Amino acid sequence: MGKKDKTEITEEQNKEKKQYKKKKEREELEIPKGIDPWKPLELKRDDVGKRVLYDESSFATLFPKYREKYLQEIWKLVENVLHEHGIECKLDLIEGSMTVTTTKKCWDPVAILKARDLIKLLSRSVPFEHAQKVLNDDYNCDIIKIGGFVRNKERFVKRRQRLVGPDGSTLKAIELLTKCYVLVQGNTVSAIGPWNGLVQVRKIVEDCLKNIHPIYNIKELMIRRELEKDETLKNESWEKYLPQFKKTNQNKKKKVQRKKKDRDAAPFAPPQLPRKEDLAMESGEYFASEEKKRRKIQADREAKHAESEQKRKDERQKSQIAPAEKDRSTTTTTTSTSNIQDTLSNIKNNLKNNKRKEAPTNNADDFILKKNKK
C-alpha cells in the first residue's frame, strides 16, 4: 500500500508541474495591450542582405489607346517611384504595353507584385496620385470585373450608374465608410485601400449588379461603425441591431389557374369519331374502283371551280349595275305645295301690316328764310 501511495503522489506533482508550465506559456504568448498583431512590419533596406533575388521576374499589361497621352506625361514619375525599390519599367507605345522587371538592386521581393498592381491600375484609368499608394504596405488593390453579371446592356448601364449615384454621392459615401478609393471605369471597378475595406467594396459592387441597391449595404456599414464605438457590445451579437431588408418584388409569372371539374359532366369519355375509311365504307366509295374514284374527284373539282367562277362574275357585275331610283311619294309633293302656300300668305300679311307711311310734301318756300316785316 505504501508503494501505491507514493506513485499517486508523484503523478499529482507531475500534473501540477505541467499545468504550471502551460500557464507560463500562455502568459508569454499573451499580446500586450495597445499592440496590433496583424499590423505588417515595415521592411527597410538595412534589414535585408546585399542580394535577395537571384533571378529576374517581369510582368506586362496592355493599355487602351486613349491612355497613351496621359501615360507619356506621367512616365517619368513612375520611373522615379519604382527606381527607389530597384525596379525598371518600360512603356511600349507601338504594342501598347507596360512592362515591369526586377534588377540586382531590388531588395524587397514583394515590390515586383506591388509594381504589377501599379501598372494594372494605370491601365484602368486610375490617376497616378492614387495608384502610387499601392506601393505602401498598408494599401492593397482589387480590380473587380463586372461585365459578366448582366447580359442586357441597358440594364448593365443602369446598375453601374447606381454605384456612382447622382453627382457621385453614393460613390463618395462608399469611399468614406470603407476608407478606399473607388473608380468605376467600363467593365471594371478598381479599389485601393486596406484589406477590410476592399472586402466591403467587393460585396457592395457584386450586390449592386445582382439588383440590390448599394444604399442597403451603406446603411449596414453606418450602423456597424456606430456599434464598434460601444465597448459593451464587443462580445454580443449585432444581428438584432442590423437592418433586415426583405424583397418586395413579386414574381411576374402569372399563376396558371386550374380548371374546376364540372360535376354535371359525363363520367365517361365521348364516343370516338369515325375515320375516313369508315365514312367511305358507309357511303360505298371504299368498294368502288379507282377509275370511279378519279371521276368523282374530278367532278368535285369542276363543281368547285364553277362555283368560284360564278362568284367572280357576280362581283364584277355589281359595279356595272345602276343603283335603284328612289320613288317620290305623293306625301312629299303635298307637303312641299302646302309649305309654299304658307310662305306666300305670310309675305302678303307682312306687306299689309308694314305699309310705307306717306311722306309729307315739302315746298321750296319752307326752306327759304323769310324777311321780318318792319
Side-chain angles (χ1 to χ4, degrees), residues 40 96 135 154 242 251 293 305 325:
L135 297 170
E154 291 178 2
L242 296 172
N251 291 327
K293 287 178 183 178
H305 186 64
E325 290 183 357

Side-chain angles (χ1 to χ4, degrees), residues 220-232:
E220 191 177 334
L221 288 171
M222 288 171 76
I223 292 161
R224 283 179 183 278
R225 196 178 182 183
E226 293 296 323
L227 291 168
E228 283 173 3
K229 293 176 184 178
D230 194 355
E231 292 182 358
T232 56

Side-chain angles (χ1 to χ4, degrees), residues 144-174:
I144 306 157
K145 293 179 181 179
I146 57 173
F149 281 93
V150 185
R151 289 184 181 179
N152 193 357
K153 194 175 181 181
E154 291 178 2
R155 197 176 292 170
F156 169 73
V157 171
K158 282 181 183 177
R159 290 183 187 178
R160 187 180 63 183
Q161 189 60 32
R162 283 182 198 169
L163 281 171
V164 181
D167 300 326
S169 58
T170 52
L171 197 69
K172 191 71 181 173
I174 291 163

Side-chain angles (χ1 to χ4, degrees), residues 85-134:
H85 297 274
I87 292 167
E88 284 184 354
C89 55
K90 291 179 183 179
L91 179 68
D92 194 349
L93 298 173
I94 297 164
E95 292 182 359
S97 63
M98 292 180 283
T99 53
V100 172
T101 53
T102 55
T103 59
K104 291 179 181 179
K105 293 180 181 179
C106 183
W107 51 272
D108 188 3
V110 183
I112 187 66
L113 301 174
K114 297 278 187 181
R116 178 198 63 185
D117 295 338
L118 175 65
I119 57 173
K120 273 186 181 179
L121 291 168
L122 289 171
S123 65
R124 294 313 308 155
S125 300
V126 178
F128 177 71
E129 296 171 0
H130 296 286
Q132 67 178 349
K133 291 178 184 176
V134 183

Side-chain angles (χ1 to χ4, degrees), residues 2 14 17 20 29 35 55 59 65 69 89 109 121 130 153 182 195 209 219 225-226 251 254 291 349:
N14 291 327
K17 284 180 182 178
Y20 178 73
L29 291 169
I35 294 168
D55 197 2
F59 294 99
K65 198 171 184 181
K69 189 179 179 181
C89 55
L121 291 168
H130 296 286
K153 194 175 181 181
V182 184
W195 275 117
L209 288 158
K219 281 182 181 178
R225 196 178 182 183
E226 293 296 323
N251 291 327
K254 293 181 180 178
E291 288 182 3
N349 292 325

